[in-house]
């Protein structure tokens, strides 16, 4: 008879558990978003610096019309940026998914949050720039080879002329000719 008289209302406990779960989910979401925000900021700075370095080297090289040194500097800038860009697309995609999930669940984005589309756009723009420059360098490879051979021959001739001038004008046993 006592068991029938005892009644337990579980609604407050259920509500408390749901609120605690919601708080834990929100806290976890904030931590994940903060970790992504901390990672994407430096990557965007690096992407911008890489793009600017490639653009500056490209402006100096002027395609196949630049000097060998300028074209080699462009190739080095492209190679360096290509090494840096690996994995950025994955990070930008993760950022996009995290932003979508956060907004779907009503989480507030942390201060300093970089919009996912901006990050994706920066990565895509750099990748496209690198592809264009790599293609141009591949096309200009034969021109670069010809220029390099010409500059090497010119440097060798300059060296021979300098040596001949030195031999003609060098001091002779303490005296000057």
């Amino acid at each position: 008879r006592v068991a029938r008289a005892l009644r337990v209302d579980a609604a407050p406990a259920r509500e408390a558990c749901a609120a605690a779960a919601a708080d834990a989910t929100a806290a976890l979401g904030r931590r994940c978003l903060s970790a992504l925000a901390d990672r994407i900021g430096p990557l965007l700075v690096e992407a911008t610096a890489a793009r600017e370095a490639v653009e500056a080297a490209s402006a100096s090289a002027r395609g196949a019309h630049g000097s060998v040194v300028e074209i080699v500097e462009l190739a080095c800038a492209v190679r360096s940026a290509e090494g840096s860009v690996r994995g950025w697309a994955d990070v930008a995609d993760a950022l996009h998914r995290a932003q979508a999930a956060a907004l779907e669940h009503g989480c507030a984005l942390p201060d300093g949050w970089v919009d996912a589309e901006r990050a994706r756009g920066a990565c895509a723009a750099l990748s496209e720039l690198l592809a264009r420059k790599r293609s141009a360098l591949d096309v200009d490879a034969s021109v670069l080879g010809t220029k390099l051979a010409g500059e090497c021959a010119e440097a060798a001739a300059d060296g021979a002329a300098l040596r001949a001038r030195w031999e003609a004008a060098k001091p002779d046993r303490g005296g000057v000719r």
Side-chain angles (χ1 to χ4, degrees), residues 2-170:
V2 172
R4 286 186 182 185
L6 186 61
R7 185 178 169 134
V8 176
D9 186 9
R14 219 180 353 256
E15 290 170 6
C17 285
D23 289 346
T25 301
L28 181 60
R30 282 190 301 275
R31 286 183 63 195
C32 288
L33 289 172
S34 272
L36 274 172
D38 290 346
R39 183 159 183 215
I40 200 66
L43 285 177
L44 282 175
V45 168
E46 191 176 347
T48 301
R51 180 183 48 79
E52 289 171 353
V54 169
E55 287 173 346
S58 180
S60 295
R62 299 177 312 279
H65 304 292
S67 72
V68 171
V69 171
E70 291 167 336
I71 295 170
V72 168
E73 286 175 354
L74 173 60
C76 290
V78 168
R79 174 170 274 172
S80 174
E82 285 174 337
S84 298
V85 80
R86 287 186 186 95
W88 287 352
D90 294 338
V91 173
D93 287 342
L95 182 69
H96 188 270
R97 288 190 307 274
Q99 179 175 312
L103 294 175
E104 180 181 320
H105 293 292
C107 292
L109 298 174
D111 291 339
W113 181 259
V114 175
D115 184 67
E117 288 307 313
R118 180 172 167 223
R120 277 181 151 179
C123 290
L126 180 58
S127 294
E128 289 170 13
L129 174 67
L130 293 176
R132 283 194 319 271
K133 296 306 173 187
R134 173 60 65 195
S135 176
L137 286 169
D138 290 345
V139 167
D140 291 342
S142 63
V143 173
L144 179 59
T146 303
K147 280 185 149 196
L148 185 57
E151 286 193 20
C152 284
E154 186 179 317
D158 288 348
L162 179 63
R163 183 171 183 86
R165 282 195 315 270
W166 167 251
E167 289 297 330
K170 72 180 177 183

